[in-house]
Amino acid sequence: MSVPSRPKELPVSLLTDPVMIEACQVRDFGRIFRLVKARAGIYPSMIARRCDLTPSRVGEVIAGRRQLLHMDVIERISDGLRIPGYMLGLARRSWETPPSLTVTPRQPAEVPTSTVEPLADGLPGADVDSILALAAERALSPSTLDALHSSIADYWRRDDEHGGETLRPAVVGQLRYVVDLLKEQRPAPLRDGLHSIAAELARLTGWTYFDARQYNQARAYFTESLGLAKTIDDRQFMANVLACMSLQATYQDKPGDALALVTAAQDQARAAVGTTPRVLAMLAMREAFAHATLGNHGATHTAISEAHTQFGRIGASDPDPAWVAYFDEPKLIVDTGIAHGRLGEAALAEPLIADALRREHRTNHRGRAFHAFWLARTQLQRGKLDEACHTAMDALVPAAAVSSQRVAGHLREFYEQLEPFRREPAAVAFESRLREVLPRQVSGSPRP
């Protein structure tokens, strides 16, 4: 006799049980998983599959050896187990509205003709653009490649200052342009140069999707970038792309994937001719992140030591690739602090992150906001509520200046960690400032 499959939704009796409600309020996922197993018959392997986690990670959570803090992981648990968003302090999930209650959008009312319409009417259509592109001169020279590299450097600068959301259409358009150029026969140096530029543009596109927490799209572009770099056997750049994918895996709470990817990146870097110490230092720090996410203290400290050793070998005349120039001393220090913070070593992390933050460039809005929220988290872990709220308040200005769902996720994580202190004056002041500067980030959160 076949056993009917269980419904995807959790039993109402479980969702209304005070024990389950309390576990969700404090995000005690170990207790939640145990209740789901006992009351809904959803075993750890099924929980892992539904929530896109590894079975070993679910087992660690159930055993109380690991906590789940990343917002995207919490959202996956809500969606995978069908736990209503409000129970976990999230906004209402898309699947919570029954189809019968879905409201059909009303037809927009007529609006006065705007000044944009004549402009749109005056632009050629996409088909005309294609015809003109065929007739255009497509001669290439080394100066053309230099111009394209300069554009990429400018894209990265603007991404640091403003985020990649509005930048992405221009980057994708240039990527398509370069890929189109590759369809024609070119001398080997120019063809290799185009492959290199296409690989950089694909990685930048993947990065903008990663920063927007659109991980599937990011992975697709990272994979495309990896293939383009492999075509010209640029092993250092392949290592760079694999390091990006490793960092994304840590955000997705997939430390096993993160470690495998960064190990592959290090293999590529060591096999390349002329890999510089700065590249090896950056990769060692990404390895430290993966080990820290796994909770492996010894391996994390070893990787941190390796990063500092390699950084100490950097020479002024090293032929560093342009894409690793960002990994300077403040970046080394702040990443060291973040690695310690991921291990729960707040006392080690706080002074490192604070020192790097003081030295960070003022125009790097995303980096300043991101690192300030990390500093606030470590200060909160050390019981310094007033300092943590003050640090987080300072981070709101650069956070508002940049379009980055990744920064927004860190902000929400810090905001949720303030839950036990909601009535404290420092927390009240921070929330008031947060609602003033970034009201959308807390629009779905309960008031204290």
Side-chain angles (χ1 to χ4, degrees), residues 102-118:
T102 301
V103 178
T104 303
R106 295 167 56 188
Q107 291 293 328
E110 288 190 16
V111 295
T113 303
S114 71
T115 57
V116 177
E117 288 180 0

Side-chain angles (χ1 to χ4, degrees), residues 108 237 269 277 294 297 332 402:
F237 196 80
L294 282 165
H297 286 249
L332 172 72
V402 66

